Amino acid sequence: MRNVNQFTRFGFRNGVYSFIFLLSILALFLSITTLCIFYPQNPLSFSNTFGDQTTGQGGSIQLLDSIIEKLMDQMRAVENSAIGSGENSELKDVRLKHTAFLAEILGLTGSLKLSLAREKEDIHQQQRTPPTEIHPLSRSNGSLDETAEFFLTEEIRKYTRIKPNRLGKQNFMGANRTVMSIGHACFSLKEELEEYMDYDVGDFCKDDWKQAQRLMVLGCDPLPRRRCFARAPKLYSKPLPINESIWNLPDDRNVRWSGYRCKNFVCLAANRTGKGFFKCSDCFNLTHHEWLRWMQVNTSDFLIEEVLSIKQGEIRIGLDFSVGTGTFAARMKEFNVTIISATINLGAPFSEMIALRGFVPLYLTINQRLPFFDNTLDMIHSTRFLDGWIDFILLDFILYDWDRVLRPGGLLWIDSFFCKNRDLEDYLDAFRMLRYKKHRWVVVPKLDKNGEEVFFSALLEKPPRPF
């Protein structure tokens, strides 16, 4: 028995020495691989443990295969040394720890191999892209990939680099490469964007929706995509059926409440201040405030029924560009009209509320071109969004974009646009320049401002343009 234990200790001693030797090889390999990654234009040549000459990333992967094979041989040797040796409990614990450690190193080495394979593919993609290609609208001599070099975070650099097609041919869309887009203001928000893009690939994203929205509002829109999993509510429950969800408050568990003052829907629906937002402050009160909207006439409101009667049977699909919780879409659904609701989360979970009520939320800022093709929508409705804060030139761009997506004969419904009385004519000129047919055109004073502010509502029809 003593001889068996001595033999076992001798086997473990040799295993430890072999393991230390493997770790030394791995440490040397990691150092050389790092140099290969950071100096890809001058790939280093080195020899593996078999004396074969290897070069750059391809040689690194071959060497990793050799190390993986040796680690597996070592694990098998440790297991075989214990068979029939009658080892005591102390030696068995040492053997199990040794095997577990080897397995961990084997897993890390496999991950490193996968990472190197991806790096190799990235380098091949960069090599397939002509390095001196100039953007057709550029006034400088810079290449298309110079955008990527502006940022320091590696994920932004990978995102903004040109992605050539793998086959080197044009794809079905007629392009031989893909250029990922980001908003031009992202360059002036470099630090904030790099913080947003600083994450572990394949892990969970940070709970930073508010930072993302701030970037979008400030013009970094569209944001770059990310390769991490978005956070979700911890105890998400199935939403209510559509016949119940429209006029009932959703389950609080279906929303991530970080970044909001209110932490539940009851708080949002309460008739009090301090909820963290002021636009559409009663929008979450479904049973009183929202239930009557567009169904009961107010000073500047139009009824849905009378609006749809103007184009009987022609209004089928449309966009609501407003601050709201989906009530306009809910009421239009009663008339068999499908409405997409565009909004952002201004102090409250407007997007989640719209979705949980059973409608489609379009998370969109005012900075962005509408994601619809020309002449496709029957109606655009807007309320509590375009008001007297908006720049005249910006309003022009927005209205021309709305005109682009509205079909001939489509309706533009401006609902309770308010501004200073002294600015009214300038804003009205912006709507007049569309040369739309006026079905309704109403200006009324805002009662709590002593005539200094006014509401403007209009129902306008896009004319045919056969030229």
Side-chain angles (χ1 to χ4, degrees):
M1 185 67 172
R2 178 181 177 185
N3 291 335
V4 169
N5 286 339
Q6 285 179 344
F7 173 77
T8 305
R9 290 192 183 96
F10 177 76
F12 273 115
R13 189 180 300 114
N14 283 344
V16 170
Y17 291 154
S18 300
F19 179 63
I20 292 173
F21 174 69
L22 282 173
L23 282 182
S24 302
I25 293 176
L26 187 58
L28 178 62
F29 162 75
L30 289 174
S31 302
I32 296 175
T33 300
T34 303
L35 291 175
C36 290
I37 291 173
F38 284 95
Y39 298 94
Q41 302 301 325
N42 297 298
L44 302 176
S45 296
F46 53 91
S47 297
N48 61 21
T49 54
F50 298 106
D52 300 325
Q53 193 74 10
T54 59
T55 304
Q57 301 254 348
S60 301
I61 293 174
Q62 291 175 14
L63 183 56
L64 268 179
D65 287 334
S66 300
I67 293 176
I68 289 172
E69 184 179 349
K70 286 183 175 292
L71 283 169
M72 293 181 69
D73 289 343
Q74 181 65 25
M75 289 177 67
R76 283 192 289 266
V78 171
E79 290 296 328
N80 291 336
S81 67
I83 297 175
S85 63
E87 61 183 353
N88 58 33
S89 59
E90 181 181 353
L91 288 175
K92 183 178 180 180
D93 289 342
V94 173
R95 178 178 61 80
L96 291 176
K97 289 179 181 179
H98 187 189
T99 304
F101 191 52
L102 282 172
E104 183 178 358
I105 295 297
L106 184 62
L108 292 173
T109 308
S111 299
L112 181 58
K113 177 184 174 182
L114 180 60
S115 176
L116 279 174
R118 289 176 177 171
E119 291 289 344
K120 181 180 178 182
E121 179 63 25
D122 287 344
I123 291 173
H124 286 337
Q125 284 188 351
Q126 294 174 33
Q127 290 172 347
R128 289 198 302 267
T129 304
T132 59
E133 189 171 6
I134 307 300
H135 193 286
L137 300 181
S138 176
R139 296 183 181 225
S140 67
N141 294 324
S143 69
L144 281 166
D145 261 351
E146 278 190 358
T147 300
E149 306 307 319
F150 179 79
F151 297 103
L152 299 179
T153 303
E154 185 61 23
E155 276 295 281
I156 310 180
R157 295 162 73 98
K158 288 182 177 179
Y159 180 83
T160 52
R161 286 193 185 107
I162 299 167
K163 311 297 186 298
N165 298 343
R166 290 181 59 84
L167 299 178
K169 300 178 182 179
Q170 287 190 350
N171 57 28
F172 69 97
M173 295 179 288
N176 58 11
R177 63 175 183 252
T178 301
V179 181
M180 314 279 263
S181 60
I182 60 173
H184 71 280
C186 295
F187 295 93
S188 61
L189 299 166
K190 179 180 177 181
E191 292 183 7
E192 293 91 334
L193 182 61
E194 288 181 335
E195 180 183 352
Y196 174 73
M197 293 295 288
D198 186 14
Y199 58 86
D200 294 326
V201 175
D203 202 349
F204 287 100
C205 304
K206 294 173 286 188
D207 189 7
D208 55 359
W209 73 266
K210 203 166 186 178
Q211 181 187 11
Q213 181 169 283
R214 180 176 181 275
L215 285 166
M216 292 170 63
V217 170
L218 294 179
C220 187
D221 186 17
L223 276 174
R225 296 183 177 105
R226 295 200 291 189
R227 297 189 293 174
C228 55
F229 295 106
R231 300 277 176 174
K234 293 181 179 179
L235 300 172
Y236 196 93
S237 64
K238 64 180 181 180
L240 296 172
I242 189 66
N243 61 325
E244 299 177 21
S245 64
I246 297 178
W247 296 109
N248 287 292
L249 289 178
D251 193 323
D252 295 331
R253 296 174 296 178
N254 291 348
V255 173
R256 289 186 298 125
W257 294 95
S258 61
Y260 301 121
R261 289 187 187 176
C262 282
K263 302 301 181 182
N264 54 63
F265 284 110
V266 172
C267 172
L268 292 173
N271 186 21
R272 62 182 179 83
T273 59
K275 291 185 285 188
F277 63 99
F278 65 94
K279 281 276 190 180
C280 200
S281 59
D282 294 323
C283 281
F284 292 87
N285 186 344
L286 302 182
T287 54
H288 293 84
H289 180 268
E290 294 293 283
W291 179 259
L292 301 175
R293 297 186 71 189
W294 302 291
M295 305 302 287
Q296 178 178 307
V297 134
N298 200 348
T299 53
S300 60
D301 289 345
F302 307 147
L303 297 180
I304 287 178
E305 188 172 8
E306 66 182 23
V307 168
L308 294 181
S309 67
I310 294 173
K311 307 288 288 186
Q312 191 73 41
E314 294 185 29
I315 306 302
R316 306 151 302 145
I317 56 173
L319 172 70
D320 180 27
F321 206 123
S322 307
V323 179
T325 55
T327 298
F328 184 77
R331 286 304 187 190
M332 293 294 277
K333 179 182 173 66
E334 297 172 8
F335 295 88
N336 296 319
V337 179
T338 300
I339 296 292
I340 293 177
S341 304
T343 190
I344 57 175
N345 289 10
L346 293 170
F350 288 98
S351 297
E352 294 96 318
M353 179 69 170
I354 293 169
L356 290 169
R357 291 181 74 183
F359 304 107
V360 179
L362 185 63
Y363 192 57
L364 192 70
T365 68
I366 198 114
N367 312 328
Q368 201 171 355
R369 186 177 189 257
L370 288 179
F372 304 107
F373 193 67
D374 305 354
N375 304 298
T376 52
L377 299 185
D378 298 325
M379 172 183 283
I380 294 180
H381 170 265
S382 181
T383 185
R384 297 177 176 175
F385 199 82
L386 300 182
D387 294 324
W389 62 268
I390 195 167
D391 175 78
F392 294 116
I393 300 297
L394 173 59
L395 180 59
D396 274 356
F397 277 106
I398 292 169
L399 291 180
Y400 274 105
D401 192 38
W402 289 2
D403 173 80
R404 176 184 63 81
V405 301
L406 265 180
R407 64 165 177 84
L411 295 180
L412 175 59
W413 183 351
I414 304 300
D415 192 350
S416 302
F417 179 103
F418 75 87
C419 63
K420 297 286 186 183
N421 199 4
R422 63 175 181 270
D423 297 328
L424 177 63
E425 282 304 312
D426 292 325
Y427 281 117
L428 294 184
D429 284 343
F431 292 98
R432 291 187 186 112
M433 63 84 191
L434 293 172
R435 300 184 181 89
Y436 279 17
K437 180 181 178 179
K438 297 178 183 177
H439 289 287
R440 299 288 300 273
W441 185 277
V442 178
V443 176
V444 297
K446 200 175 180 187
L447 298 179
D448 59 341
K449 296 296 182 180
N450 297 321
E452 293 183 3
E453 294 185 4
V454 293
F455 281 114
F456 163 65
S457 294
L459 186 61
L460 310 172
E461 180 181 339
K462 178 178 176 178
R465 296 184 185 132
F467 41 82

